[in-house]
């Protein structure tokens, strides 16, 4: 990804599909998201945060439409993709946008005694997992259900309670 031929910026993306059609959804995200992000960044007053949010929404809607169309050869009902984007530019430094539980870390050398160095990791993202209370509440606010495989198969009772769900998930 380059915004123009003289650009000193780069965009890196990792797409982790899940479910029966996850690989197709991840590929679709990889094909669409860089262009959608670049277009959103061109808008007046756009920041990486607003542009990435706009791009994620645009691609999500595109994938939903594609899965419902006659030409769509996949379903987004039980499939999807996590995405993590890392944008590096001279003017803005390192910026990260993500959806799901993909993780980005930055490796840095930290000076230690006698002129040596130790590689240390610095997290650049927090996983979007329903085991985090704030994420659990965000998911519920939008009317979604969070289920284990056993709950989906009606083997285990469905709770709508964070504490009970954490016990089911053994956390």
């Amino acid at each position: 990804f380059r915004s123009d031929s003289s650009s000193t910026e780069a965009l890196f993306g990792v797409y982790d599909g899940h479910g029966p059609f996850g690989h197709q959804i991840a590929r679709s995200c990889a094909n669409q998201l860089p262009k959608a992000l670049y277009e959103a960044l061109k808008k007046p007053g756009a920041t990486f945060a607003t542009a990435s949010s706009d791009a994620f929404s645009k691609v999500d809607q595109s994938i939903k439409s594609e899965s419902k169309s006659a030409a769509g050869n996949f379903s987004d009902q039980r499939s999807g993709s996590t995405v993590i984007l890392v944008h590096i530019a001279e003017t803005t430094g390192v910026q990260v946008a993500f959806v799901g539980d993909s993780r980005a870390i930055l490796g840095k050398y930290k000076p230690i005694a006698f002129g040596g160095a130790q590689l240390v990791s610095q997290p650049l993202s927090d996983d979007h997992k329903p085991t985090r209370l704030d994420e659990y509440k965000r998911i519920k606010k939008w009317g979604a259900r969070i289920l284990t495989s056993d709950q989906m198969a009606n083997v285990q009772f469905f709770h709508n309670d964070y504490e009970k769900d954490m016990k089911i998930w053994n956390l």
Side-chain angles (χ1 to χ4, degrees):
F1 165 83
R2 285 185 176 246
S3 57
D4 61 53
S5 61
S6 64
S7 177
T8 55
E9 63 184 311
L11 179 69
F12 302 93
V14 175
Y15 308 86
D16 181 17
H18 55 269
F21 300 103
H23 62 289
Q24 289 170 272
I25 293 173
R27 190 175 311 118
S28 188
C29 288
N31 289 336
Q32 296 181 55
L33 204 48
K35 182 178 180 187
L37 177 62
Y38 176 61
E39 293 300 319
L41 281 169
K42 288 200 259 179
K43 294 178 183 174
T47 64
F48 182 74
T50 61
S52 57
S53 180
D54 289 351
F56 285 152
S57 294
K58 180 179 181 178
V59 171
D60 184 52
Q61 290 304 313
S62 172
I63 289 170
K64 285 180 181 179
S65 295
E66 186 180 342
S67 77
K68 290 176 177 60
S69 75
N73 57 356
F74 65 89
S75 168
D76 68 343
Q77 290 301 302
R78 294 191 185 230
S79 298
S81 181
T82 66
V83 176
I84 190 146
L85 298 176
V86 178
H87 181 251
I88 303 172
E90 277 186 302
T91 55
T92 56
V94 177
Q95 300 175 95
V96 178
F98 60 99
V99 175
D101 62 355
S102 291
R103 183 176 299 179
I105 59 170
L106 177 66
K108 288 179 148 183
Y109 281 107
K110 175 182 169 186
I112 56 173
F114 307 110
Q118 177 182 18
L119 186 61
V120 295
S121 64
Q122 175 184 342
L124 298 178
S125 61
D126 292 316
D127 297 357
H128 288 158
K129 289 186 173 185
T131 53
R132 287 184 16 216
L133 180 58
D134 64 322
E135 187 63 11
Y136 184 92
K137 287 178 178 179
R138 185 191 69 80
I139 293 166
K140 293 294 187 174
K141 180 179 125 184
W142 288 97
R145 295 188 337 171
I146 303 167
L147 304 170
T148 65
S149 303
D150 286 345
Q151 288 171 323
M152 288 171 55
N154 290 321
V155 174
Q156 201 167 45
F157 183 72
F158 168 68
H159 298 283
N160 201 19
D161 178 272
Y162 181 75
E163 296 299 325
K164 290 179 181 175
D165 284 340
M166 293 304 108
K167 286 179 184 171
I168 288 172
W169 299 333
N170 295 318
L171 298 172

